[in-house]
Amino acid sequence: MDVVKNLLINIDSDVIDQESLDKLYALNNEHVLKIVNEFISRCKPSKVTVITDSQEDIDYVRQRAIEIGEEAKLSIDGHTIHYDAFSTMGYHDQARDKANTRILVPKGEYASPWINTIDRDEGLKEILEIMEGCMRGNECIVRFFCLGPINSKFSILALQLTDSLYVCHSEDILYRKAYEEFKKLDGSNKFFYFIHSSGELIGDPPVSKNLDKRRIYIDLKENRVLSVNNQYAGNSLGLKKLALRLAINQANNEDWLAEHYFILGVHPKGKNRVSYFCGAYPSACGKTSTAMLPGQTVLGDDIAYLRPWDDGYAHVVNIERGLFGIIKDVNPEDDPYIWDAITTPREIIFSNVLIREETPYWIGDGREVPEKGINFSGEWQIGKKDEEGKKIPHAHPNARYTLRIEELKNADENLHNPDGVPLHGIFYGGRDSDTMPPILESLNWEHGVFLGASIESETTSATIGAVGVRVQQPMANLDFIVVPLRKYLENHQRFGNSLQHCPKVFATNYFLKNQDCKYLNGMLDKLCWVIWAEGRSHGDYEAIKTPVGYIPKYEDLKELFKEYLGKDYTKEEYMEQFEIRVTKLLKKLERIEMMYRKEENVPDFFWIVVNEERENLLNLKEKYQKEDIPPDEFL
Ligand code: OXD
Ligand code: MN
């Protein structure tokens, strides 16, 4: 034990008190001590506090977040507000910083061209220098969490050091506490670790000052991420998107999947069953609204781990227990479950919204915009502009709420099931105004992998940079894939083929527009696509086989629209929505090919699907001599 204790010799006893030291020693894990020692010595906080699973410790974090001003109380009990740094509408810490998030790649190793990398030695040198003294004057919290349910084959433990009490508090809402689980590691280093610092702080509320030195470096070799000079949860919270990258690496070296998926329990009327579906959508493309469909249950809204299970299905768990949801457009009509939860007393952190008389307001909340208040830019009034003359909205388009799933009326009862839930199907979707039909079922698993690999979307405000550019987003996961795409696709193919009950794959598109740029579908129509997909996974509906996938029959949708939405779904609507748009699909295929041609050694199965798809589309063009083919032609 003394050897282990000696690992903390570099730390001044004024910085860490005996109580915290004892909590560390009780873990009996030299790896944890080494990490704490190394980064406390480097980052030089004025105080180190170790947090266990006790309520007292957890309350301490909540309290400190308010005391140091990273959060402020709002009028409703349990609600707080947090702001991230803001300079102009184009330069801020209100979204993920893709440019400065890099994978550290050892010399000579291959990385796909769209993975943002830096030479490992160079990157480590750079970030470790930036981290030198970065916590000076601040308190560093040491916390222990679990990615996934406790006591589960799926789960991975995670150690977080951070000087942001907001980060630590958010993680408490979003993840399962696991100090006691670390004790069970028996001294091993089988955990991820995350070192985060907001860096020097400025202003009131205190926000990261040195955004120019914001870095998020992912070190696959050590299963760790170092993140500095930021607070926005997508950049700062180790367990969210930073851990996803480490998990993708691990999964692709083993036999499982780590995906950017929600998990939805689908409960079709009168059938007395629940079937679980996952879904991947790039940010702000309907992911949360699909996960929150009325009458269904939500098990997760962002990240899932999948493993082949004894019953022949893939089983899936939510590695989180909370939501870090986009608040824009949350209103009582479209999002009743979320609206109810975030307007009543319970533990919630709002970020980057407008506060007026201790009440939060956001874009699309259905209320009149207050004339003034406090927002991410400080004192705000209607018409306020940033230094570059750009209008500052009352709330940021990427403003968020952080909330436990169990606080929702539609929370699924299997959230903490260590065995996860069996997976019946996967939805993929992007933002596509003119090409894909509202729902299309893949011809087989490989074709499903292709559908996921060919998601395209317009960029949104969830990442920094231009908004509205069409980009390829394989499995809505491109920002997080840290292994060569070749390997990622191979792993998918192998995974599905190893299952006796392979999930069905569906491409969805909620953003189809007509010539006048009007959406062809209502917000809730997706409920009918989802119920149809669930029925398909049980063999309840026949479908029309087109050369690019299966589409629903009009009669089935007509009934579903009536039963679930009380709507008359007309044949004309169906004919327009489910046309097979041959020319547009060929163009999309070209873009996809162009992307994958840049990758080394893309697996054969992928090119086989691409070539078949092209041939099928060309044949259709030849046969019908039309750009768009009505669905009835395939009956
Ligand atoms: C998220 C994201 O916040 O994907 O979930 O950006
Ligand atoms: Mn996400």
Side-chain angles (χ1 to χ4, degrees):
M1 192 60 184
D2 278 349
V3 180
V4 172
K5 286 189 181 176
N6 282 341
L7 291 167
L8 284 177
I9 47 172
N10 289 341
I11 302 177
D12 196 327
S13 57
D14 289 349
V15 170
I16 184 162
D17 65 16
Q18 195 57 43
E19 195 186 330
S20 279
L21 275 178
D22 288 344
K23 289 174 185 171
L24 281 179
Y25 295 150
L27 295 172
N28 232 327
N29 191 308
E30 62 171 304
H31 304 285
V32 172
L33 292 185
K34 266 191 193 151
I35 292 163
V36 173
N37 185 32
E38 180 185 343
F39 284 93
I40 297 307
S41 310
R42 179 172 298 279
C43 304
K44 302 186 176 49
S46 55
K47 184 175 178 200
V48 178
T49 305
V50 177
I51 301 294
T52 66
D53 299 344
S54 78
Q55 198 53 46
E56 192 187 339
D57 283 11
I58 290 167
D59 288 344
Y60 174 82
V61 170
R62 287 188 196 134
Q63 198 51 39
R64 289 292 296 153
I66 290 166
E67 279 165 16
I68 67 166
E70 270 197 286
E71 289 176 41
K73 285 189 178 181
L74 297 175
S75 62
I76 296 182
D77 218 25
H79 292 199
T80 58
I81 170 72
H82 162 81
Y83 290 110
D84 298 307
F86 174 82
S87 179
T88 66
M89 286 309 288
Y91 192 60
H92 52 70
D93 187 36
Q94 314 268 319
R96 280 191 278 113
D97 178 0
K98 292 216 265 182
N100 288 303
T101 303
R102 298 200 182 97
I103 312 299
L104 302 174
V105 178
K107 283 190 183 48
E109 276 186 22
Y110 169 79
S112 294
W114 26 76
I115 301 178
N116 193 3
T117 60
I118 182 166
D119 172 76
R120 183 167 186 272
D121 296 336
E122 194 189 313
L124 274 180
K125 184 167 176 295
E126 184 195 8
I127 195 160
L128 290 176
E129 261 172 43
I130 295 177
M131 289 187 116
E132 195 61 51
C134 64
M135 295 187 184
R136 212 168 255 133
N138 295 333
E139 177 177 7
C140 175
I141 302 289
V142 181
R143 270 207 84 164
F144 306 88
F145 291 105
C146 182
L147 292 155
I150 300 292
N151 258 327
S152 164
K153 183 177 173 188
F154 289 90
S155 300
I156 297 174
L157 296 183
L159 164 66
Q160 172 84 65
L161 269 65
T162 177
D163 61 1
S164 165
L165 274 295
Y166 157 72
V167 164
C168 202
H169 180 200
S170 302
E171 287 181 333
D172 186 57
I173 297 176
L174 293 171
Y175 305 97
R176 290 132 177 136
K177 57 191 181 185
Y179 173 78
E180 293 303 324
E181 297 307 299
F182 264 75
K183 286 188 182 162
K184 297 181 197 157
L185 272 178
D186 226 6
S188 99
N189 66 349
K190 284 210 168 84
F191 57 87
F192 292 163
Y193 74 91
F194 305 98
I195 314 294
H196 166 260
S197 170
S198 312
E200 201 178 325
L201 296 168
I202 187 171
D204 180 17
V207 293
S208 296
K209 179 179 169 205
N210 301 313
L211 295 188
D212 56 327
K213 293 209 180 77
R214 176 172 47 197
R215 298 288 181 276
I216 302 127
Y217 283 0
I218 294 136
D219 188 5
L220 302 177
K221 210 163 161 216
E222 298 282 340
N223 269 329
R224 66 177 174 178
V225 182
L226 311 178
S227 169
V228 64
N229 291 315
N230 63 71
Q231 287 159 305
Y232 173 71
N235 298 322
S236 61
L237 261 66
L239 281 91
K240 202 166 190 51
K241 294 307 198 300
L242 313 189
L244 174 58
R245 287 148 168 130
L246 299 181
I248 286 175
N249 181 52
Q250 189 165 323
N252 280 267
N253 285 320
E254 299 176 357
D255 61 348
W256 53 285
L257 302 181
E259 296 300 314
H260 195 195
Y261 284 162
F262 67 66
I263 311 168
L264 171 73
V266 186
H267 304 251
K269 284 186 186 171
K271 291 187 177 159
N272 201 18
R273 68 178 183 225
V274 51
S275 313
Y276 290 93
F277 277 68
C278 284
Y281 296 71
S283 301
C285 287
K287 187 174 178 185
T288 307
S289 58
T290 310
M292 294 287 163
L293 278 168
Q296 319 310 312
T297 50
V298 62
L299 204 149
D301 85 323
D302 201 25
I303 303 170
Y305 292 172
L306 287 75
R307 281 182 178 273
W309 215 250
D310 296 346
D311 57 7
Y313 283 89
H315 275 222
V316 56
V317 295
N318 180 5
I319 58 113
E320 308 186 287
R321 63 168 317 179
L323 311 176
F324 174 62
I326 296 177
I327 202 164
K328 180 171 176 270
D329 294 332
V330 171
N331 63 65
E333 281 77 48
D334 298 327
D335 309 275
Y337 301 121
I338 298 175
W339 179 270
D340 274 2
I342 67 178
T343 52
T344 47
R346 64 196 74 245
E347 192 175 1
I348 299 174
I349 309 173
F350 292 89
S351 55
N352 305 322
V353 294
L354 179 90
I355 302 298
R356 170 100 177 131
E357 288 165 4
E358 295 189 349
T359 302
Y361 292 84
W362 53 90
I363 299 172
D365 61 13
R367 292 171 294 181
E368 202 175 316
V369 177
E371 282 187 5
K372 56 184 183 181
I374 305 287
N375 77 356
F376 53 93
S377 70
E379 300 259 1
W380 178 90
Q381 68 289 329
I382 287 183
K384 183 174 178 183
K385 296 201 170 126
D386 70 12
E387 278 167 18
E388 284 156 5
K390 219 167 165 209
K391 225 163 127 190
I392 301 175
H394 66 296
H396 197 276
N398 192 33
R400 304 276 179 144
Y401 58 88
T402 304
L403 165 80
R404 286 200 180 85
I405 291 178
E406 282 144 319
E407 303 280 1
L408 297 169
K409 287 198 188 94
N410 57 329
D412 190 273
E413 60 182 19
N414 277 310
L415 175 62
H416 298 300
N417 188 338
D419 292 341
V421 290
L423 181 64
H424 279 80
I426 301 171
F427 297 112
Y428 288 114
R431 205 168 255 272
D432 164 11
S433 55
D434 60 11
T435 305
M436 293 288 278
I439 186 153
L440 178 86
E441 179 188 321
S442 76
L443 295 167
N444 52 45
W445 173 250
E446 270 87 1
H447 186 240
V449 176
F450 161 79
L451 287 179
S454 47
I455 295 180
E456 286 186 311
S457 196
E458 291 166 13
T459 48
T460 70
S461 54
T463 55
I464 295 168
V467 168
V469 182
R470 200 180 267 232
V471 288
Q472 281 72 52
Q473 281 275 9
M475 280 72 174
N477 212 3
L478 191 63
D479 288 357
F480 316 110
I481 296 175
V482 291
V483 295
L485 262 186
R486 161 194 68 74
K487 186 167 177 166
Y488 182 74
L489 292 178
E490 275 168 4
N491 192 38
H492 268 265
Q493 185 202 21
R494 206 174 38 238
F495 183 83
N497 288 334
S498 75
L499 301 167
Q500 197 186 331
H501 304 291
C502 188
K504 281 187 177 284
V505 181
F506 301 87
T508 62
N509 180 16
Y510 307 149
F511 300 93
L512 207 53
K513 290 182 179 168
N514 66 11
Q515 309 281 10
D516 305 328
C517 276
K518 281 182 88 175
Y519 286 114
L520 290 182
N521 290 105
M523 281 279 282
L524 267 183
D525 291 2
K526 53 174 91 74
L527 178 58
C528 298
W529 318 143
V530 165
I531 300 288
W532 179 77
E534 196 276 346
R536 283 289 294 163
S537 79
H538 288 270
D540 292 355
Y541 302 112
E542 283 180 0
I544 302 174
K545 188 172 186 187
T546 80
V548 291
Y550 294 96
I551 54 173
K553 288 185 150 175
Y554 170 66
E555 295 69 32
D556 293 329
L557 290 184
K558 187 178 161 62
E559 249 177 58
L560 287 172
F561 270 81
K562 187 105 245 136
E563 190 177 0
Y564 283 84
L565 303 178
K567 246 167 95 169
D568 254 334
Y569 183 63
T570 65
K571 183 86 190 224
E572 290 69 42
E573 286 175 279
Y574 171 78
M575 295 293 271
E576 189 174 14
Q577 292 167 15
F578 284 91
E579 272 175 343
I580 300 300
R581 297 167 178 82
V582 178
T583 311
K584 298 258 167 47
L585 282 165
L586 276 165
K587 284 218 177 91
K588 176 177 161 120
L589 196 62
E590 243 172 60
R591 293 191 294 270
I592 301 304
E593 273 196 78
M594 206 150 76
M595 169 174 188
Y596 284 90
R597 263 199 242 112
K598 291 189 197 136
E599 175 75 21
E600 279 182 9
N601 302 323
V602 168
D604 287 347
F605 87 85
F606 186 80
W607 292 126
I608 291 172
V609 176
V610 168
N611 291 336
E612 275 175 10
E613 182 100 348
R614 191 188 320 97
E615 214 175 290
N616 287 339
L617 286 165
L618 288 172
N619 287 342
L620 282 181
K621 205 169 181 167
E622 169 96 17
K623 179 167 169 198
Y624 290 94
Q625 298 289 319
K626 275 200 227 168
E627 304 236 321
D628 307 326
I629 302 168
D632 277 8
E633 295 289 345
F634 302 101
L635 273 172

mmCIF file of all heavy atoms in Angstrom, residues 96 240-241 260 281 283 287 301-303 480, ligand 2:
data_model
loop_
_atom_site.group_PDB
_atom_site.id
_atom_site.type_symbol
_atom_site.label_atom_id
_atom_site.label_comp_id
_atom_site.label_asym_id
_atom_site.label_seq_id
_atom_site.Cartn_x
_atom_site.Cartn_y
_atom_site.Cartn_z
ATOM 1 N N ARG A 96 -19.773 21.720 -30.630
ATOM 2 C CA ARG A 96 -18.562 20.912 -30.715
ATOM 3 C C ARG A 96 -17.537 21.591 -31.613
ATOM 4 O O ARG A 96 -17.878 22.077 -32.686
ATOM 5 C CB ARG A 96 -18.891 19.516 -31.262
ATOM 6 C CG ARG A 96 -19.470 18.609 -30.201
ATOM 7 C CD ARG A 96 -19.539 17.169 -30.661
ATOM 8 N NE ARG A 96 -20.692 16.908 -31.477
ATOM 9 C CZ ARG A 96 -20.673 16.607 -32.766
ATOM 10 N NH1 ARG A 96 -19.511 16.502 -33.392
ATOM 11 N NH2 ARG A 96 -21.773 16.375 -33.424
ATOM 12 N N LYS A 240 -19.253 11.716 -22.773
ATOM 13 C CA LYS A 240 -20.173 11.818 -23.909
ATOM 14 C C LYS A 240 -19.430 11.514 -25.209
ATOM 15 O O LYS A 240 -19.031 10.384 -25.458
ATOM 16 C CB LYS A 240 -20.854 13.193 -23.900
ATOM 17 C CG LYS A 240 -22.146 13.124 -24.697
ATOM 18 C CD LYS A 240 -23.026 14.280 -24.477
ATOM 19 C CE LYS A 240 -24.392 14.115 -25.059
ATOM 20 N NZ LYS A 240 -25.160 12.929 -24.775
ATOM 21 N N LYS A 241 -19.214 12.504 -26.019
ATOM 22 C CA LYS A 241 -18.669 12.228 -27.345
ATOM 23 C C LYS A 241 -17.189 11.838 -27.308
ATOM 24 O O LYS A 241 -16.660 11.267 -28.255
ATOM 25 C CB LYS A 241 -18.875 13.441 -28.255
ATOM 26 C CG LYS A 241 -20.355 13.712 -28.558
ATOM 27 C CD LYS A 241 -21.002 12.470 -29.091
ATOM 28 C CE LYS A 241 -22.318 12.621 -29.819
ATOM 29 N NZ LYS A 241 -23.439 13.187 -29.132
ATOM 30 N N HIS A 260 -23.812 5.967 -32.567
ATOM 31 C CA HIS A 260 -24.465 7.238 -32.246
ATOM 32 C C HIS A 260 -25.984 7.039 -32.387
ATOM 33 O O HIS A 260 -26.617 7.653 -33.237
ATOM 34 C CB HIS A 260 -23.941 8.289 -33.237
ATOM 35 C CG HIS A 260 -24.218 9.704 -32.857
ATOM 36 N ND1 HIS A 260 -24.089 10.732 -33.753
ATOM 37 C CD2 HIS A 260 -24.610 10.274 -31.695
ATOM 38 C CE1 HIS A 260 -24.392 11.871 -33.153
ATOM 39 N NE2 HIS A 260 -24.716 11.617 -31.912
ATOM 40 N N TYR A 281 -29.108 9.652 -36.491
ATOM 41 C CA TYR A 281 -29.412 10.847 -37.280
ATOM 42 C C TYR A 281 -28.369 11.893 -36.926
ATOM 43 O O TYR A 281 -28.076 12.061 -35.733
ATOM 44 C CB TYR A 281 -30.800 11.413 -36.909
ATOM 45 C CG TYR A 281 -31.949 10.487 -37.239
ATOM 46 C CD1 TYR A 281 -32.157 9.316 -36.516
ATOM 47 C CD2 TYR A 281 -32.813 10.783 -38.285
ATOM 48 C CE1 TYR A 281 -33.192 8.460 -36.835
ATOM 49 C CE2 TYR A 281 -33.859 9.933 -38.608
ATOM 50 C CZ TYR A 281 -34.042 8.771 -37.881
ATOM 51 O OH TYR A 281 -35.066 7.921 -38.192
ATOM 52 N N SER A 283 -26.909 15.541 -35.919
ATOM 53 C CA SER A 283 -27.526 16.493 -34.987
ATOM 54 C C SER A 283 -28.608 17.307 -35.682
ATOM 55 O O SER A 283 -28.451 17.711 -36.828
ATOM 56 C CB SER A 283 -26.482 17.467 -34.448
ATOM 57 O OG SER A 283 -25.491 16.760 -33.805
ATOM 58 N N LYS A 287 -33.564 13.235 -34.500
ATOM 59 C CA LYS A 287 -33.194 12.080 -33.686
ATOM 60 C C LYS A 287 -33.989 12.058 -32.369
ATOM 61 O O LYS A 287 -34.656 11.063 -32.061
ATOM 62 C CB LYS A 287 -31.695 12.156 -33.396
ATOM 63 C CG LYS A 287 -31.138 10.946 -32.704
ATOM 64 C CD LYS A 287 -29.633 11.063 -32.607
ATOM 65 C CE LYS A 287 -29.038 9.890 -31.867
ATOM 66 N NZ LYS A 287 -27.603 10.040 -31.670
ATOM 67 N N ASP A 301 -31.179 8.513 -26.087
ATOM 68 C CA ASP A 301 -31.339 9.451 -27.208
ATOM 69 C C ASP A 301 -30.038 9.740 -27.931
ATOM 70 O O ASP A 301 -30.016 10.543 -28.841
ATOM 71 C CB ASP A 301 -31.970 10.761 -26.736
ATOM 72 C CG ASP A 301 -30.927 11.720 -26.201
ATOM 73 O OD1 ASP A 301 -29.971 11.243 -25.552
ATOM 74 O OD2 ASP A 301 -31.052 12.929 -26.439
ATOM 75 N N ASP A 302 -28.930 9.073 -27.532
ATOM 76 C CA ASP A 302 -27.691 9.525 -28.176
ATOM 77 C C ASP A 302 -26.666 8.428 -28.484
ATOM 78 O O ASP A 302 -26.203 8.347 -29.606
ATOM 79 C CB ASP A 302 -27.041 10.611 -27.306
ATOM 80 C CG ASP A 302 -26.083 11.487 -28.091
ATOM 81 O OD1 ASP A 302 -26.248 11.596 -29.315
ATOM 82 O OD2 ASP A 302 -25.160 12.057 -27.482
ATOM 83 N N ILE A 303 -26.307 7.617 -27.476
ATOM 84 C CA ILE A 303 -25.178 6.701 -27.703
ATOM 85 C C ILE A 303 -25.521 5.309 -27.173
ATOM 86 O O ILE A 303 -26.031 5.171 -26.059
ATOM 87 C CB ILE A 303 -23.902 7.210 -26.991
ATOM 88 C CG1 ILE A 303 -23.567 8.635 -27.479
ATOM 89 C CG2 ILE A 303 -22.719 6.283 -27.263
ATOM 90 C CD1 ILE A 303 -22.485 9.325 -26.675
ATOM 91 N N PHE A 480 -17.169 10.890 -35.098
ATOM 92 C CA PHE A 480 -16.659 10.117 -33.959
ATOM 93 C C PHE A 480 -15.911 8.848 -34.354
ATOM 94 O O PHE A 480 -15.342 8.173 -33.505
ATOM 95 C CB PHE A 480 -17.826 9.764 -33.019
ATOM 96 C CG PHE A 480 -18.736 10.936 -32.786
ATOM 97 C CD1 PHE A 480 -20.022 10.975 -33.310
ATOM 98 C CD2 PHE A 480 -18.277 12.038 -32.089
ATOM 99 C CE1 PHE A 480 -20.843 12.084 -33.129
ATOM 100 C CE2 PHE A 480 -19.084 13.158 -31.908
ATOM 101 C CZ PHE A 480 -20.372 13.173 -32.423
HETATM 102 MN MN MN B 2 -25.311 13.134 -30.545
#
